[in-house]
Amino acid sequence: MTAEAPSILYRVSVRELCAFTAKSGDLDLRFTPAPTSAEGQLGHARVAAARGPGYQREVPLSRQYRSLEVRGRADGYWPREQALEEIKTHRGAVTRIPPHHRALHWAQLKLYGAMLCHQQGLATLRLRVVYLDLDREQETPFTEDFDAANLHHFFDTQAQRFLDWALQQGAHRLRRNAAMAALDFPYPAMHAGQRGLAEAVYRRCRDGGALLAQAPTGIGKTLGTLFPTLKAMPLGDIDRVFYLTARTTGRRLALDALEQLRTEVGSDPPHLRVLELVSRDNACEHPDKACHGESCPLARGFYDRLPAARASAQAIRSWDQAHVRDLARNHGICPYYLGQELARWSDVVVGDVNYYFDSSALLHALRQANDWRVVVLVDEAHNLIERGRAMYSAELDPQQFAELRQQAPAPLKRALNAVNRAWNRVPATQTVDYEVRTELPTALLDALARLGSAINDHLADHPEGLTPALQRFHFDALYWRSLAERYGTHSLFDVTLRPPRGAQGRSRARLCIRNVLPAAFLAERFAAARTCVLFSATLQPFDYYRQMLGLPPATPALDLPSPFAPDQLTVRIAAHVSTRLADRAASVPPIVHIIGRQFQAQPGNYLVFLSSFDYLQAVAEAFDARHPEVPTWRQDRGMREAERQDFLQRFRSGGRGVGFAVLGGVFAEGVDLPGSRLIGAFVATLGLPQVNPVNEEFSRRLDTLFGRPCGYEYTYLFPGVRKVAQASGRVIRTPQDRGVVVLIDDRYARERVRRLLPTWWGPPAPDHPGPGDAY
């Protein structure tokens, strides 16, 4: 009678197992030429085809070790030779592949070998790592024969190391789920509307799917989304929660809310691991050094010291930026890449939307590799359209390329000159400054590919790497080519001529692949998550966000009531003023009069929002001349963080003065000025994006995709009025606040515009000029 195998509690891929147990040595992020995923697949097929009949590709393997199941697919097996192969595609000399990478490749192959021996009862096995240089179509094999007993011992050792850790994580998950099931809301009662939000989020986390939620300011949307998500983790068998935001202030609010919730289930070690992910620029301790062991001391021996740091992290209450930095310092490793490693073991990750939605996003890659069931919470989700467009757009800059050609090493001159010739042919017949093309420039794409190969050859002979300028352009070109491969109606290819003209009288051309519809790229990210909740104070019309972001048409939408009463905010419309570009000069005196009249009637702190810095300057100077007794302060171009704080600190409780800012800028969103710090706002613009060739093309393309008048509404009207609502939302921040918003433009009187304003405001009143008013 044979003993039954223990039940499987954990499953892990060979790749992930090796990433945990077999990495050693330095962190080394020096650029090395690497094939794309598609090129790698073609390379694998080429090797398999050369092997002949009987060669088995993509061999599925699995093996159980105690309560751990290891799974994977070996690249190829040749029964005739009893040889198992791991195929790695590369570019350049094999000697350029770092030793710790090669050791990792052998570790993966030895695990596959042990699994094959176990599965087929083999006593010996030949293992072969095959490096295929795609540019030279040349194989470099490394072969070694192994006894099955040695391979089994290696497998057991690696599996046991992972299982020891996995058992700890499993115990943590049980504690976490029990704690989340018992979690109580940290306040005696929820705000008005907050319960409705929490119930809808809980149901989505339990059942799966997406949700749009317009949650007005003051409703407590941070706690209203996090609390039900954590409560649902045990019921929905949720592995991870990603709380994503486009602003640093949103990240801080989420961390504070999670600390409140964690205090409710206080424990040591903590039952809920919360990680804050920050940018490399904000985390780097040695910005003057390169990310490899020969340059940066925190990269040297990174993987050797990582296990101890990872073990120490389990006892730390918070994995926010400050604590991760302290932990990294204690173990002498890089804090940024320690944070990336801790993302594998956290329960909640708080970070920028980039970390899940970008083309090379860390959190999405981890979800895919580990088959996690994740909940994605997107705060201030109205920003995701523009952020998504930026993630999937790329440009080739002629100024950058011209400087690069002058500094480039001699072996690259020929390839660079070929790119230059192909680049110059793109605008050869163009007679306007801006033009959208129907086809991508295939000759230029071919020249860029040849330049990439030349750079790879150069790296083989010059392992010290690329100059910063050459590496930056190389990365830009690689991404431009990758977007070209996915080009479609969701994007534009445009050519912008830029002065000065060259020696032959040609204008230098900026070439841009510009995303119009981020849905084409974001939809698959939403589909990969178990649940996605997108929430914001301004998230209407809902169909606009469904279509632009790629959410399913049936995605439910929740429009929550505001916790504020209409009588807290007086809204007036000055429809006798036009702020259109042609009317700007004439609009300045009445705008100054409206501001001055309100200030005299009710002195206090006010914010004035205008559409541009030039318009701001004109209105502010005219106001200062007309009302020199009123203190004023202005937003300037390129303000540093300290200057921004100085601007906000002028809004003191009980103070009096007028601040001038640009609509859509840093002071129009994410700013909290409760009570008498701000008692009113004037919005002297409809907020429409600038009418320019790019936006006009966006409008035409969206008309084509969705029908008229979607082009105008999606490009101009909806984004403009959303900015107005966001800026106006600075006035009422608590149930005790009272204030006024004056919307200055005749278009606010149109029903088409007014129906887009927040419904809780109530009907706006007209702001007519008085009989004695003179400008």
Side-chain angles (χ1 to χ4, degrees):
M1 183 175 179
T2 57
E4 290 186 8
S7 60
I8 295 171
L9 297 178
Y10 310 101
R11 290 181 172 86
V12 65
S13 69
V14 167
R15 183 181 294 273
E16 286 297 307
L17 175 59
C18 287
F20 182 82
T21 65
K23 280 188 174 181
S24 62
D26 297 348
L27 179 71
D28 192 342
L29 296 179
R30 281 175 286 197
F31 174 72
T32 54
T36 65
S37 176
E39 290 171 332
Q41 291 172 6
L42 289 174
H44 283 216
R46 190 182 305 161
V47 171
R51 294 293 184 264
Y55 187 78
Q56 300 172 11
R57 292 181 57 190
E58 295 290 318
V59 182
L61 297 167
S62 65
R63 181 175 172 183
Q64 184 174 345
Y65 175 83
R66 296 171 59 187
S67 56
L68 176 70
E69 182 185 55
V70 183
R71 298 179 294 183
R73 288 181 178 272
D75 289 332
Y77 178 54
W78 209 344
R80 188 176 68 193
E81 284 193 15
Q82 208 164 297
L84 187 68
E85 294 187 330
E86 178 77 3
I87 303 166
K88 298 296 182 183
T89 54
H90 71 104
R91 287 194 163 94
V94 171
T95 54
R96 287 276 291 147
I97 300 173
H100 60 281
H101 284 192
R102 287 197 241 173
L104 192 61
H105 301 158
W106 272 107
Q108 291 174 358
L109 182 54
K110 288 163 74 174
L111 287 177
Y112 286 131
M115 294 159 73
L116 184 68
C117 288
H118 177 78
Q119 201 164 290
Q120 298 194 6
L122 303 177
T124 61
L125 184 64
R126 177 166 293 169
L127 300 184
R128 182 181 295 126
V129 178
V130 180
Y131 292 103
L132 174 66
D133 186 332
L134 290 180
D135 296 324
R136 296 175 177 83
E137 297 189 6
Q138 177 181 334
E139 290 184 30
T140 305
F142 294 89
T143 304
E144 192 170 344
D145 293 332
F146 287 88
D147 292 332
N150 290 333
L151 294 176
H152 293 324
H153 176 73
F154 180 80
F155 181 94
D156 291 350
T157 301
Q158 304 304 309
Q160 184 62 55
R161 287 179 61 189
F162 184 87
L163 185 59
D164 288 343
W165 178 264
L167 290 170
Q168 293 180 37
Q169 304 318 300
H172 164 76
R173 186 184 179 107
L174 291 174
R175 293 192 301 268
R176 181 202 75 184
N177 284 352
M180 296 305 101
L183 182 65
D184 290 325
F185 194 69
Y187 295 103
M190 291 186 171
H191 295 312
Q194 193 177 42
R195 176 171 292 280
L197 174 62
E199 289 174 350
V201 171
Y202 183 84
R203 287 192 297 269
R204 275 291 136 187
C205 292
R206 181 194 64 196
D207 302 334
L211 173 69
L212 286 165
Q214 181 163 270
T217 298
I219 206 171
K221 60 182 180 291
T222 307
L223 272 174
T225 52
L226 280 169
F227 172 70
T229 300
L230 298 181
K231 286 287 287 184
M233 287 187 86
L235 188 64
D237 196 23
I238 295 164
D239 297 304
R240 303 290 188 276
V241 176
F242 301 151
Y243 189 101
L244 309 174
T245 178
R247 291 180 177 269
T248 304
T249 50
R251 198 168 70 224
R252 188 68 258 166
L253 286 171
L255 291 169
D256 290 345
L258 286 162
E259 184 58 33
Q260 275 186 293
L261 292 168
R262 197 161 44 186
T263 300
E264 293 294 311
V265 292
S267 62
D268 190 16
H271 288 332
L272 189 70
R273 297 172 181 161
V274 177
L275 171 68
E276 179 186 13
L277 284 178
V278 298
S279 69
R280 181 155 58 180
D281 288 345
N282 286 329
C284 183
E285 298 278 10
H286 298 290
D288 58 323
K289 294 179 172 61
C291 295
H292 58 83
E294 296 175 17
S295 175
C296 180
L298 301 183
R300 195 174 305 129
F302 177 89
Y303 289 108
D304 298 329
R305 294 193 287 274
L306 176 62
R310 193 164 50 207
S312 298
Q314 310 312 303
I316 295 175
R317 179 170 178 80
S318 173
W319 293 355
D320 63 5
Q321 181 181 4
H323 286 90
V324 170
R325 173 165 284 178
D326 289 344
L327 177 65
R329 284 175 176 169
N330 290 340
H331 291 271
I333 59 176
C334 171
Y336 175 72
Y337 286 100
L338 174 59
Q340 304 262 301
E341 290 290 333
L342 291 177
R344 301 171 184 272
W345 312 108
S346 57
D347 300 308
V348 182
V349 179
V350 178
D352 189 86
V353 293
N354 227 51
Y355 280 109
Y356 186 77
F357 292 105
D358 189 66
S359 60
S360 56
L362 168 72
L363 296 179
H364 177 66
L366 288 174
R367 196 226 72 81
Q368 296 290 86
N370 296 283
D371 198 25
W372 285 340
R373 293 160 66 91
V374 302
V375 173
V376 178
L377 304 176
V378 185
D379 190 8
E380 303 296 348
H382 61 270
N383 288 306
L384 193 54
I385 293 175
E386 286 306 314
R387 288 294 301 274
R389 282 173 168 167
M391 291 173 200
Y392 294 98
S393 298
E395 74 171 31
L396 297 177
D397 185 272
Q399 180 77 26
Q400 181 189 51
F401 183 69
E403 294 171 358
L404 169 65
R405 287 182 66 206
Q406 296 175 357
Q407 305 166 6
L412 298 180
K413 292 289 187 181
R414 181 177 179 180
L416 286 165
N417 289 338
V419 170
N420 187 57
R421 289 191 298 271
W423 197 325
N424 284 336
R425 284 196 293 271
V426 174
T429 60
Q430 184 168 320
T431 58
V432 293
D433 288 341
Y434 176 84
E435 186 173 271
V436 172
R437 303 293 182 85
T438 57
E439 295 182 358
L440 294 171
T442 54
L444 177 61
L445 287 167
D446 292 342
L448 289 171
R450 290 192 294 272
L451 173 61
S453 297
I455 289 174
N456 295 335
D457 291 340
H458 175 73
L459 278 170
D461 299 327
H462 299 81
E464 67 275 8
L466 306 174
T467 65
L470 181 56
Q471 181 168 306
R472 183 169 59 251
F473 179 80
H474 187 43
F475 287 163
D476 289 346
L478 285 172
Y479 193 52
W480 207 85
R481 287 169 56 203
S482 74
L483 288 180
E485 292 176 359
R486 303 179 66 181
Y487 186 72
T489 57
H490 50 71
S491 297
L492 301 173
F493 166 52
D494 57 41
V495 181
T496 305
L497 302 184
R498 302 178 63 183
R501 293 183 176 273
Q504 286 79 34
R506 292 175 179 164
S507 291
R508 288 180 283 184
R510 186 181 67 213
L511 311 178
C512 187
I513 296 176
R514 202 183 303 271
N515 178 248
V516 180
L517 184 65
F521 299 97
L522 303 186
E524 62 184 28
R525 302 302 170 93
F526 292 124
R530 171 175 172 76
T531 298
C532 288
V533 179
L534 289 78
F535 53 100
S536 169
T538 51
L539 210 56
Q540 279 194 339
F542 292 123
D543 276 342
Y544 165 61
Y545 288 97
R546 289 188 188 101
Q547 291 181 324
M548 293 299 293
L549 295 175
L551 293 165
T555 299
L558 191 64
D559 189 7
L560 294 155
S562 173
F564 306 137
D567 62 3
Q568 288 184 248
L569 182 68
T570 300
V571 181
R572 298 200 299 269
I573 293 177
H576 61 288
V577 182
S578 168
T579 64
R580 296 171 182 82
L581 184 61
D583 302 324
R584 292 275 167 85
S587 72
V588 171
I591 291 172
V592 168
H593 177 78
I594 291 168
I595 300 168
R597 185 181 61 190
Q598 174 64 33
F599 188 90
Q600 290 170 354
Q602 189 178 5
N605 289 327
Y606 292 87
L607 255 173
V608 181
F609 293 102
L610 299 121
S611 56
S612 70
F613 282 101
D614 290 340
Y615 199 15
L616 181 155
Q617 191 81 3
V619 173
E621 288 178 356
F623 185 84
D624 287 344
R626 182 81 178 265
H627 300 281
E629 75 284 0
V630 179
T632 63
W633 51 98
R634 309 174 192 175
Q635 177 184 356
D636 293 323
R637 289 183 173 90
M639 292 177 80
R640 299 175 184 270
E641 182 60 31
E643 294 169 322
R644 296 178 186 179
Q645 291 303 317
D646 288 343
F647 181 92
L648 293 174
Q649 286 170 7
R650 297 289 297 271
F651 294 91
R652 292 184 289 271
S653 294
R656 297 183 177 187
V658 179
F660 292 85
V662 171
L663 188 71
V666 293
F667 302 118
E669 188 174 335
V671 170
D672 206 24
L673 299 170
S676 61
R677 292 189 66 190
L678 183 69
I679 65 168
F682 305 86
V683 185
T685 172
L686 190 57
L688 304 185
Q690 184 183 42
V691 176
N692 58 35
V694 174
N695 283 333
E696 287 295 275
E697 283 296 335
F698 274 40
S699 180
R700 281 190 281 271
R701 178 61 58 86
L702 291 169
D703 270 340
T704 301
L705 291 170
F706 301 118
R708 299 185 67 179
C710 288
Y712 171 76
E713 292 180 338
Y714 287 16
T715 304
Y716 296 107
L717 184 61
F718 296 164
V721 178
R722 189 261 303 163
K723 287 187 288 184
V724 172
Q726 282 285 336
S728 302
R730 303 311 97 205
V731 178
I732 304 299
R733 309 300 293 176
T734 74
Q736 292 74 43
D737 290 350
R738 295 289 185 276
V740 60
V741 167
V742 183
L743 306 176
I744 306 174
D745 191 277
D746 61 285
R747 289 166 289 184
Y748 285 113
R750 298 175 181 174
E751 181 60 28
R752 185 184 188 186
V753 173
R754 289 174 62 169
R755 72 169 183 261
L756 297 173
L757 298 174
T759 54
W760 75 269
W761 283 4
D767 189 297
H768 296 303
D773 287 345
Y775 304 138

